[in-house]
């Protein structure tokens, strides 16, 4: 763990071993140039506490990029609850409440929300101990980020389609959605309403079948996803589906989906670029849920205003694609520069004497 912390570019790590649940709690705070850290809480069984800490650090860095891209005054942070097995009932509630007290002790330095393995209901439990949580309220109400994330992906697909084909019109464009869960389902509906031809794939065959019938789409078997011809491949299941094996097989023009860490290595962005496939950087296109939850929590904006803000990702991605095209490079580089520009401008403002 010492080596991990020494090598990390982030600011701070909070680690606590919870004896009662035999679980590790990690809070990674990556960069607070823009404001206090905020990011989801992942609950998962890991091979070792080091794996859990590494995950928290990597995800926290992604949140720094996400907040800078979508223009929120928030810093990059993420937490991980590394549990020995899936926890239910009182055991789960106990861990979440103790975790809520740990967050509260940081007095706002980090606020959490739902992520893989945690639900809006879990956030409502944490909210009983701290105000520094989004996606569940003290009254026990919950908000599902999935439809907001789907809206951002839909907007990003429009930007990518415009960049590639000259118009953001989706009628007749084919989109293969891999994973029809909390994001994939509302995304399929939005795309269907926009006239797109939908192809769906899911390791849960029944889910794929039900979604395909609802939107009049086709089911693609999991093993055929990467070599099925389509305009847009939308990874909405797991990370690292873009790798040395899959990229040469792809028969799409665009990759634009919600999954986190879609590239197995950053160099995969170059492979996509070399193949003429436009890649929408994941931390930009999948920021809809992260955008909505704090706004819903503050209660200052209407649903329509929140949706407008997320629909604005279309413009942000268009700018990223244009900058990348002008520099003959992958959009991943243009997105990273955008993040650095935002952080550097704020550093100059906050610490002019630096
Ligand atoms: P989910 O768990 O609700 O749905 C995932 C779906 O993918 C499930 O239907 C599952 O059966 C399917 N799946 C799993 N492995 C698969 C595989 N190998 N091939 C095909 N299908 C597979 O998850 P979600 O909330 O819809 O999130 C989807 C992705 O988007 C995740 O990577 C998540 O980290 C990311 N993401 C989600 C949100 C959000 O608001 N929910 C926000 C940002 C990023």
């Amino acid at each position: 763990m010492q080596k991990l912390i020494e090598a990390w570019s982030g600011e701070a790590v909070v680690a606590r071993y919870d004896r009662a649940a035999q679980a590790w709690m990690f809070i990674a705070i990556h960069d607070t140039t823009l404001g206090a850290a905020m990011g989801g809480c992942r609950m998962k069984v890991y091979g070792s506490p080091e794996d859990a800490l590494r995950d928290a650090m990597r995800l926290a860095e992604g949140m720094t990029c996400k907040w800078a891209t979508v223009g929120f005054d928030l810093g990059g942070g993420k937490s991980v609850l590394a549990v020995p097995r899936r926890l239910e009932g009182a055991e789960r509630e106990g861990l979440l409440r103790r975790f809520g007290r740990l967050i509260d002790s940081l007095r706002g330095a980090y606020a959490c929300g739902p992520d893989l393995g945690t639900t809006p209901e879990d956030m409502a439990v944490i909210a009983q101990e701290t105000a520094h949580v989004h996606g569940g309220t003290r009254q026990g109400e919950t908000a599902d980020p999935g439809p907001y994330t789907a809206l951002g992906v839909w907007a990003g697909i429009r930007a990518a389609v415009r960049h590639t084909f000259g118009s953001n019109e989706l009628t007749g464009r084919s989109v293969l959605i891999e994973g029809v869960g909390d994001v994939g389902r509302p995304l399929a509906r939005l795309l269907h309403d926009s006239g797109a031809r939908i192809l769906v794939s899911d390791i849960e065959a029944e889910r794929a079948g039900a979604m395909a019938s609802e939107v009049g789409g086709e089911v693609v078997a999991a093993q055929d996803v990467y070599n099925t011809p389509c305009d847009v491949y939308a990874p909405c299941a797991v990370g690292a589906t873009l790798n040395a094996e899959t990229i040469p097989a792809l028969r799409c023009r665009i990759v634009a989906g919600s999954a986190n860490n879609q590239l197995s290595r950053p160099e995969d962005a170059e492979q996509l670029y070399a193949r003429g496939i436009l890649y929408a950087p994941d931390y930009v296109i999948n920021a809809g849920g992260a955008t909505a939850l704090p706004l819903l929590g503050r209660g200052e904006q209407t649903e329509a205003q929140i949706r407008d803000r997320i629909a604005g990702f279309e413009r942000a991605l268009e700018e990223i694609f244009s900058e990348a095209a002008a520099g003959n490079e992958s959009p991943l580089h243009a997105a990273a520069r955008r993040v650095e520009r935002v952080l550097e401008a704020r550093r100059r403002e906050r610490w002019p004497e630096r």
Side-chain angles (χ1 to χ4, degrees), residues 42 66 115-116 144-146 149 178-185 201-204 207 222 235-239 258-260 286 289:
R42 183 164 283 198
K66 192 167 292 196
D115 194 75
L116 212 78
D144 174 8
T149 304
E178 178 184 40
V180 279
D182 292 342
V183 178
R185 278 193 306 274
S201 185
D202 199 294
I203 41 165
E204 304 274 345
R207 274 192 187 195
C236 297
V238 290
S258 74
N260 277 312
N286 74 10

Side-chain angles (χ1 to χ4, degrees), residues 254-335:
I254 293 164
V255 175
S258 74
N260 277 312
N261 303 313
Q262 292 169 27
L263 304 170
S264 94
R265 311 157 306 157
E267 303 85 274
D268 293 322
E270 313 311 331
Q271 304 304 317
L272 286 169
Y273 181 70
R275 286 219 46 214
I277 297 171
L278 184 69
Y279 170 64
D282 48 12
Y283 62 77
V284 184
I285 193 168
N286 74 10
T291 300
L293 291 191
L295 293 176
L296 289 166
R298 284 181 213 153
E300 291 158 4
Q301 294 198 4
T302 63
E303 176 70 17
Q305 285 170 320
I306 295 172
R307 293 179 67 83
D308 272 357
R309 182 158 182 170
I310 298 169
F313 291 5
E314 183 170 347
R315 176 88 191 276
L317 276 158
E318 273 173 13
E319 287 168 7
I320 289 169
F321 294 145
S322 300
E323 185 176 323
N328 290 321
E329 61 183 0
S330 161
L332 192 64
H333 300 298

Side-chain angles (χ1 to χ4, degrees), residues 136-213:
T137 69
R138 278 171 185 271
Q139 289 73 40
E141 294 161 14
T142 59
D144 174 8
Y148 297 102
T149 304
L151 178 63
V153 175
W154 173 82
I157 289 176
R158 279 165 53 97
V161 165
R162 186 205 300 276
H163 188 81
T164 306
F165 301 106
S167 153
N168 64 2
E169 179 55 62
L170 296 181
T171 306
R173 293 278 161 224
S174 52
V175 184
L176 195 166
I177 304 174
E178 178 184 40
V180 279
D182 292 342
V183 178
R185 278 193 306 274
L187 175 63
R189 292 178 188 125
L190 284 169
L191 290 166
H192 173 65
D193 292 346
S194 311
R197 187 164 75 82
I198 316 288
L199 298 99
V200 292
S201 185
D202 199 294
I203 41 165
E204 304 274 345
E206 264 180 41
R207 274 192 187 195
M211 196 69 238
S213 330

